[in-house]
Amino acid sequence: MSVSRVSALGGVSEGAKPSSERIRVGALELDALSKAEALDAIVRLVREGRGGTVFTPNVDHIVQAEHSQAFREAYSRTALSLVDGTPVLWAARLLGTPLPEKLSGSDLFEPLLERARVEKLRIALLGGGPGVAELAASNLRERLPGLQIVDTLSPRLALSATEEEHSAVQRLQQAKADLIFVCLGAPKQELFSDRNREALAPAVLVGFGAAVDFAAGTVPRAPAWVSRAGLEWAFRLGREPRRLAARYLLRDPEFLKIVVLQALARGR
């Protein structure tokens, strides 16, 4: 598939889309936004009251999208798609469609919380192991006085809808959050968010990966210099080799093939 620039229209609704260019890496489109522009766009989604989803594609997402139609379709309906990971940033530059900066979920988590505090937006945290979201909420309230966290949930969710998911959605509807931080990991968080975006509107669902664990202090994040060097994957692999070895060592190297094939197709 060749890389192309496309307009950020369609998907959830025309009104829910940012006024930015989109580029394509692999099967996924990404919005060409700076951090400040991305934060403004998320708040605008909330103010417009249309709901929608915000995803942060990284190397693993791009590889998974090559093999999962459901994952690709979830991304095709997302309101915002923000580059996560230095390797994807490098790939976009190599393909002649550079992006302003890396906008990983973890990089956006704290700035978006600060915007939510200032603008009095209501937050719900979804994800993490038992008690993790509650601990994260406690830490965040202490660090950001006035932040409105209206609910925390840590349900056991699957790739497809379950009764427990139905109960979680009902609870989130009652919480009436403006922003739901979905921290389930890919592809679960994207599939959950896409399935329930209409039921949970006007809330905006933002996929934040392990951000709730970082906020709780149960999982350390890689140092900033490691992230800038594109080695956050190695840091995480070193900490959790059994859980992450198959992903980082067997599955994700396909990313290089995807980018090379796109570069060759673009050259032709």
Side-chain angles (χ1 to χ4, degrees), residues 8-207:
L9 297 174
V12 177
S13 69
E14 289 190 11
K17 288 292 179 180
S19 57
S20 71
E21 286 188 315
R22 278 190 164 183
I23 71 156
R24 187 182 295 276
V25 178
L28 301 184
E29 294 175 0
L30 298 90
D31 288 291
L33 297 174
S34 67
K35 182 184 290 186
E37 290 169 336
L39 291 170
D40 287 343
I42 294 171
V43 172
R44 189 162 58 247
L45 287 173
V46 173
R47 296 305 185 197
E48 289 174 347
R50 297 175 181 269
T53 61
V54 179
F55 298 155
T56 55
N58 58 22
V59 166
D60 192 58
H61 291 205
I62 290 168
V63 172
Q64 289 195 56
E66 293 292 309
H67 306 282
S68 170
Q69 181 177 347
F71 196 54
R72 290 194 302 274
E73 289 178 352
Y75 257 98
S76 74
R77 290 183 285 265
T78 194
L80 281 169
S81 178
L82 306 171
V83 58
D84 181 351
T86 304
V88 180
L89 198 68
W90 290 340
R93 189 179 305 151
L94 173 69
L95 293 163
T97 53
L99 294 162
E101 59 183 307
K102 179 171 76 73
L103 300 172
S104 69
S106 300
D107 293 330
L108 287 173
F109 187 73
E110 293 281 348
L112 184 54
L113 284 170
E114 176 59 26
R115 284 289 295 271
R117 183 187 69 82
V118 170
E119 303 201 24
K120 302 187 185 307
L121 303 181
R122 295 159 59 88
I123 304 292
L125 301 178
L126 173 68
V132 170
E134 290 80 1
L135 179 57
S138 177
N139 291 345
L140 292 170
R141 289 189 184 107
E142 182 177 348
R143 191 159 68 249
L144 297 167
L147 180 66
Q148 298 182 61
I149 300 179
V150 296
D151 206 353
T152 57
L153 299 84
S154 301
R156 295 174 60 86
L157 302 180
L159 292 176
S160 56
T162 63
E163 187 59 36
E164 189 162 359
E165 177 175 312
H166 179 66
S167 297
V169 169
Q170 286 186 316
R171 180 166 157 179
L172 288 167
Q173 288 172 327
Q174 293 168 1
K176 298 188 183 302
D178 299 303
L179 288 164
I180 301 172
F181 292 179
V182 186
C183 305
L184 303 173
K188 194 180 294 184
Q189 67 189 16
E190 288 77 22
L191 298 178
F192 169 89
S193 298
D194 183 60
R195 273 196 306 271
N196 296 295
R197 60 192 170 82
E198 293 183 352
L200 292 171
V204 176
L205 294 91
V206 187

